[in-house]
Amino acid sequence: MNNNMKKYLPKASLFLAAGVILAGCGNDTKNTSPQKDSSQPKQTESSNTSTSTSTSTSTSTSPNESAELKTLKNLSKDPDKNDSSEGDFDLVGKYVKENDDEITLEIHGKQVAIQKNSSFESDKKGMKGDWQDKQVVVEVSTDKAVAESVKPTDKTLADQDGVYDRDGNEKEIIGKLIKNDSNEITLQTPNGNKTFQKTHDFELDDEARSQTKLEGKMVRIETDDQGKAEELSYSWIDQEETK
């Protein structure tokens, strides 16, 4: 080997090494490309998930309520009137008339006609006489303006002593709460004030406990066979007035 070849050999080796390094870098770059490509299905999956969620939300959205249904809900004080899972809500009014197709109530001085469902039921259990001018509760479907059933309120069923149901000597009584202390309860009934001793395990129901003030409101009590009050309950229906 002559001196000139010896002189350039180291440089050639350096160029060859650099070429190998560059080639290696090129291979690394190619190896990373499939990872970028493999990320594409994830983006598609994410996109599909988003589309599915949007579709599900759209499906679960309830249809717009009819003007008739909105009117009936506005006339009702039922706290569950906008809860579709309940299936129906209560509407309180004075009975006016009905035929095969609809029932008419007087609510806040206005007559309101409600279409009947094909399975409409009338429950007159415990009621004396006919429906005319009696305070009643009509169940209305939460998703369409149709009446499911009609029945008298407990105030309609109550006698002059406030008793609206009885089982032997046990009674259910409705009246305006006048006094409620640790030992006694006094209710105002058509026959005057009635005072009841409390049992040792007397309790209020959940609705009664949720009220900030019960005195002056219509309540119901259950008495045992000794005439003592076992429980006091509250309902928004009992607060409704029909004149």
Side-chain angles (χ1 to χ4, degrees):
M1 182 181 295
N2 58 32
N3 291 333
N4 287 335
M5 290 180 66
K6 291 179 179 179
K7 179 178 179 181
Y8 291 107
L9 184 58
K11 293 182 179 181
S13 298
L14 289 174
F15 285 128
L16 181 59
V20 171
I21 292 171
L22 288 174
C25 291
N27 289 338
D28 288 342
T29 304
K30 289 180 181 178
N31 288 340
T32 59
S33 296
Q35 294 178 1
K36 291 181 180 179
D37 291 340
S38 66
S39 68
Q40 284 303 111
K42 292 182 179 180
Q43 294 176 356
T44 303
E45 181 181 344
S46 173
S47 175
N48 289 340
T49 302
S50 175
T51 302
S52 175
T53 301
S54 175
T55 302
S56 175
T57 302
S58 175
T59 303
S60 64
T61 302
S62 59
N64 292 330
E65 294 178 351
S66 66
E68 292 84 355
L69 184 56
K70 287 181 179 179
T71 297
L72 295 179
K73 286 187 176 182
N74 286 337
L75 291 171
S76 172
K77 294 180 182 178
D78 190 334
D80 298 323
K81 63 186 177 181
N82 293 314
D83 185 352
S84 59
S85 67
E86 289 291 326
D88 53 57
F89 63 94
D90 291 329
L91 192 59
V92 179
K94 181 163 63 177
Y95 182 95
V96 177
K97 62 182 179 179
E98 70 178 292
N99 56 34
D100 292 339
D101 300 318
E102 62 183 25
I103 181 171
T104 301
L105 304 182
E106 183 179 308
I107 305 173
H108 308 315
K110 297 180 180 179
Q111 290 195 4
V112 180
I114 311 168
Q115 290 294 313
K116 288 182 177 180
N117 197 353
S118 58
S119 59
F120 180 83
E121 296 180 354
S122 293
D123 181 4
K124 293 184 69 174
K125 182 181 178 182
M127 192 176 83
K128 297 177 180 179
D130 60 21
W131 293 104
Q132 196 62 44
D133 295 332
K134 300 290 197 311
Q135 187 186 60
V136 297
V137 181
V138 171
E139 287 187 339
V140 180
S141 172
T142 53
D143 58 8
K144 52 186 177 180
V146 294
E148 305 282 358
S149 66
V150 61
K151 65 180 180 179
T153 64
D154 291 336
K155 284 195 292 186
T156 295
L157 296 176
D159 62 18
Q160 294 299 297
D161 291 321
V163 179
Y164 63 90
D165 195 13
R166 67 178 71 216
D167 181 9
N169 290 326
E170 297 177 357
K171 301 175 182 177
E172 294 183 51
I173 305 169
I174 188 169
K176 182 183 291 185
L177 183 62
I178 302 301
K179 183 181 74 171
N180 179 25
D181 60 28
S182 58
N183 298 312
E184 297 178 338
I185 287 179
T186 300
L187 300 184
Q188 183 185 81
T189 72
N191 269 347
N193 291 352
K194 306 290 182 182
T195 299
F196 305 87
Q197 295 291 318
K198 291 181 177 180
T199 60
H200 70 280
D201 56 351
F202 173 85
E203 62 181 3
L204 303 179
D205 76 348
D206 291 341
E207 289 298 320
R209 282 197 295 269
S210 69
Q211 302 301 307
T212 54
K213 182 180 179 182
L214 284 170
E215 283 76 8
K217 295 182 178 180
M218 296 297 292
V219 298
R220 312 174 197 185
I221 64 169
E222 295 182 16
T223 62
D224 62 13
D225 56 6
Q226 301 298 315
K228 293 184 178 181
E230 296 180 303
E231 181 180 15
L232 182 150
S233 59
Y234 173 92
S235 172
W236 69 269
I237 292 176
D238 301 334
Q239 316 313 312
E240 294 290 271
E241 296 289 343
T242 53
K243 298 178 180 179

